[in-house]
């Protein structure tokens, strides 16, 4: 058995570690690229959302490299993600590939489903060993997420643009090689120090812009054309709640103190949306409401035809909380130049808005 999985951001580092711990024979597919997208678009229905096409393309690349077992999210949730595995299994079978599709029930019991999935491709390793391997993989992802939060703060302030991004990529490579928990801690400490030693422009007051939207297009940089890097170049500090390590807080006993961030977002969204509509639609509305006084603006990333995010997109202009929102629809037609133009215009709008608010506040104080 040769197992493979689709890429999404730096999750591969954790999955790689888990496979090694469980002695699973695996094939690492190529990182998401234009070829991945082209393959996915060619072999997917045109109306399906872009995460389906990226993961489809990655599966084709993995199968061509010799994989015979594929891991994919599934489940009984409202979002079409629950049907990805079944649809892709059928399409790939019709293309002549002989393989096994293993599904993760993301909308059911997350912890049990995740453990069961990895256990099923590890010759039924003991539950305790599977849990230990999962914790080790998640620890790597969590350390990288902590580093990435710092990168978000440094990008708009660094003198030499691109330095923080380069260091984070190095950190990802080194974290992949860490063989134990002390190695994870040492790697995080080393690269945290490198990030904090980056020369910064003094007295910078960057715009604060939240990033919200559908999980995959927020976390996979290729699918959003490196939007966080582009915002950093424009002097914008990015804030986002979506991190893989947040999703892997599997249950209340792993996060026993207070209510979760998702619950806070659901409560904030409740005047406008009172129930789950699938994907991150509920959380997206809550993100605008909850952080309307903390952010200068919000960038909403959504795949073309994604119904949960379309619902959120249509609700947000009606909220009483005033926060400019830029919705960016991600699909195979998306281009870098067009994205940059929209981001530049949005940043300019936010700066003018901030200056007007400060001038108005100054006049009130004066009078």
């Amino acid at each position: 058995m040769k197992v493979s999985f689709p890429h999404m951001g730096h999750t591969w580092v954790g999955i790689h570690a888990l496979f090694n711990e469980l002695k699973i024979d695996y094939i690492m597919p190529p990182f998401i690229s234009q070829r991945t997208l082209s393959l996915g678009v060619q072999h997917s229905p045109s109306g399906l959302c872009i995460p389906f096409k990226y993961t489809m393309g990655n599966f084709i690349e993995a199968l061509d490299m010799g994989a015979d077992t594929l891991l994919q999210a599934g489940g009984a949730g409202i979002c079409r993600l629950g049907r990805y595995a079944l649809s892709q299994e059928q399409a790939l079978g019709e293309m002549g590939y002989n393989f096994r599709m293993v599904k993760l029930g993301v909308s059911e019991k997350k912890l049990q489903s995740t453990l069961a999935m990895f256990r099923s491709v590890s010759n039924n390793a003991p539950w305790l060993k599977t849990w230990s391997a999962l914790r080790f993989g998640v620890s790597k992802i969590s350390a990288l997420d902590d580093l990435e939060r710092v990168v978000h703060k440094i990008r708009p302030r660094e003198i030499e643009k691109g330095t923080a991004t380069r260091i984070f990529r190095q950190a990802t490579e080194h974290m992949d090689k860490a063989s134990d928990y002390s190695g994870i801690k040492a790697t995080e400490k080393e690269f945290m120090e490198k990030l904090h030693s980056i020369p910064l422009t003094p007295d910078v007051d960057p715009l604060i812009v939240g990033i919200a939207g559908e999980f995959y297009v927020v976390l996979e940089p290729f699918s959003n054309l490196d939007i966080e890097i582009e915002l950093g170049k424009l002097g914008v500090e990015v804030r986002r709640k979506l991190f893989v390590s947040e999703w892997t807080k599997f249950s209340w006993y792993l996060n026993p103190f207070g209510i979760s961030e998702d619950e806070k977002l659901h409560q904030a969204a409740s005047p406008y949306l009172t129930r789950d509509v699938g994907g991150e639609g509920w959380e997206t509305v809550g993100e605008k409401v909850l952080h309307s006084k903390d952010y200068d603006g919000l960038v909403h990333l959504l795949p073309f035809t994604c119904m949960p995010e379309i619902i959120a997109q249509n609700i947000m202009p009606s909220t009483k909380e005033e926060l400019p929102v830029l919705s960016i629809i991600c699909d195979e037609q998306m281009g870098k130049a067009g994205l940059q133009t929209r981001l530049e215009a949005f940043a300019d709008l936010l700066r003018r808005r901030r200056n007007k608010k400060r001038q108005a506040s100054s006049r009130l104080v004066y009078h």
Side-chain angles (χ1 to χ4, degrees), residues 214-233:
E214 191 273 332
F215 204 79
Y216 186 94
V217 296
V218 169
L219 293 178
E220 173 49 53
F222 192 91
S223 71
N224 60 47
L225 303 182
D226 293 309
I227 192 168
E228 293 178 354
I229 295 175
E230 296 304 321
L231 285 168
K233 291 177 184 176

Side-chain angles (χ1 to χ4, degrees), residues 117-343:
M117 179 181 72
F118 288 117
R119 192 167 178 263
S120 72
V121 294
S122 63
N123 294 318
N124 288 322
W127 286 103
L128 190 59
K129 183 172 178 58
T130 307
W131 167 243
S132 175
L134 181 62
R135 280 188 64 235
F136 184 60
V138 168
S139 295
K140 287 194 172 190
I141 294 172
S142 181
L144 286 173
D145 286 349
D146 288 342
L147 288 167
E148 191 170 23
R149 289 183 179 95
V150 176
V151 170
H152 290 159
K153 291 182 177 296
I154 292 174
R155 276 190 183 125
R157 297 172 170 89
E158 61 189 357
I159 294 173
E160 183 183 342
K161 296 300 181 186
T163 306
T165 300
R166 184 174 65 253
I167 290 174
F168 181 69
R169 286 171 178 161
Q170 293 170 357
T172 304
E173 294 170 5
H174 281 70
M175 191 65 72
D176 181 44
K177 296 172 184 175
S179 58
D180 52 29
Y181 284 102
S182 62
I184 294 174
K185 290 180 180 177
T187 301
E188 183 177 7
K189 182 174 183 289
E190 175 189 351
F191 285 93
M192 197 68 81
E193 289 173 353
K194 287 185 177 182
L195 287 171
H196 285 302
S197 68
I198 294 173
L200 306 180
T201 304
D203 302 322
V204 171
D205 186 17
L207 293 167
I208 307 297
V209 171
I211 299 281
E214 191 273 332
F215 204 79
Y216 186 94
V217 296
V218 169
L219 293 178
E220 173 49 53
F222 192 91
S223 71
N224 60 47
L225 303 182
D226 293 309
I227 192 168
E228 293 178 354
I229 295 175
E230 296 304 321
L231 285 168
K233 291 177 184 176
L234 294 171
V236 173
E237 179 183 329
V238 166
R239 301 270 180 90
R240 63 172 158 91
K241 77 160 194 78
L242 279 177
F243 286 91
V244 174
S245 57
E246 291 297 316
W247 185 84
T248 53
K249 291 177 179 175
F250 291 102
S251 66
W252 68 267
Y253 56 82
L254 294 180
N255 184 30
F257 304 107
I259 64 173
S260 69
E261 177 69 12
D262 274 356
E263 288 171 326
K264 291 179 185 176
L265 294 172
H266 296 164
Q267 290 177 8
S270 61
Y272 313 103
L273 186 61
T274 57
R275 68 175 183 88
D276 185 14
V277 291
E280 285 69 53
W282 201 4
E283 292 79 10
T284 297
V285 175
E287 187 81 5
K288 180 192 175 184
V289 176
L290 187 63
H291 297 294
S292 59
K293 294 181 180 177
D294 306 322
Y295 300 163
D296 292 295
L298 181 71
V299 172
H300 177 209
L301 297 172
L302 63 154
F304 182 60
T305 76
C306 176
M307 285 307 298
E309 297 301 333
I310 290 172
I311 291 170
Q313 182 186 18
N314 281 277
I315 289 173
M316 285 193 288
S318 303
T319 68
K320 70 176 193 275
E321 292 78 12
E322 294 183 2
L323 183 71
V325 177
L326 174 64
S327 292
I328 295 177
I329 298 173
C330 303
D331 65 3
E332 59 267 32
Q333 306 299 329
M334 191 173 169
K336 191 85 168 190
L339 175 68
Q340 288 173 328
T341 300
R342 295 185 69 191
L343 293 179

